Amino acid sequence: LAAQGMESARRALRVRVVDLRVEQSAADGWWLEFSLPSGAYATMVLREMFDIVDGSQVFAERESAAQ
């Protein structure tokens, strides 16, 4: 989109998450299982559930802090 001079944006949309199951799988891990309707993206649900950021952003922040 950026190459075409267009901006990307998130749409406000509510998706029903069904059959949600959460288990702690280890001392520091979790197992999540859920179902979504057709056309919904699990990555977006996880992004809203947790504070998930782009890995390159985390790397850049660590590099800045180290300097």
Side-chain angles (χ1 to χ4, degrees):
L1 293 173
Q4 301 299 321
M6 300 173 69
E7 294 183 24
S8 62
R10 290 181 50 207
R11 295 183 299 174
L13 179 66
R14 292 182 186 224
V15 174
R16 182 174 295 258
V17 176
V18 294
D19 302 324
L20 177 63
R21 197 171 108 207
V22 180
E23 295 179 19
Q24 188 170 8
S25 62
D28 61 346
W30 293 89
W31 181 265
L32 284 90
E33 184 176 332
F34 53 89
S35 298
L36 298 172
S38 180
Y41 293 95
T43 52
M44 298 308 292
V45 172
L46 294 174
R47 179 178 170 189
E48 294 300 319
M49 291 175 71
F50 302 100
D51 186 20
I52 298 176
V53 296
D54 183 349
S56 61
Q57 179 184 353
V58 173
F59 181 75
E61 289 173 0
R62 287 183 183 166
E63 288 293 308
S64 294
Q67 294 175 354

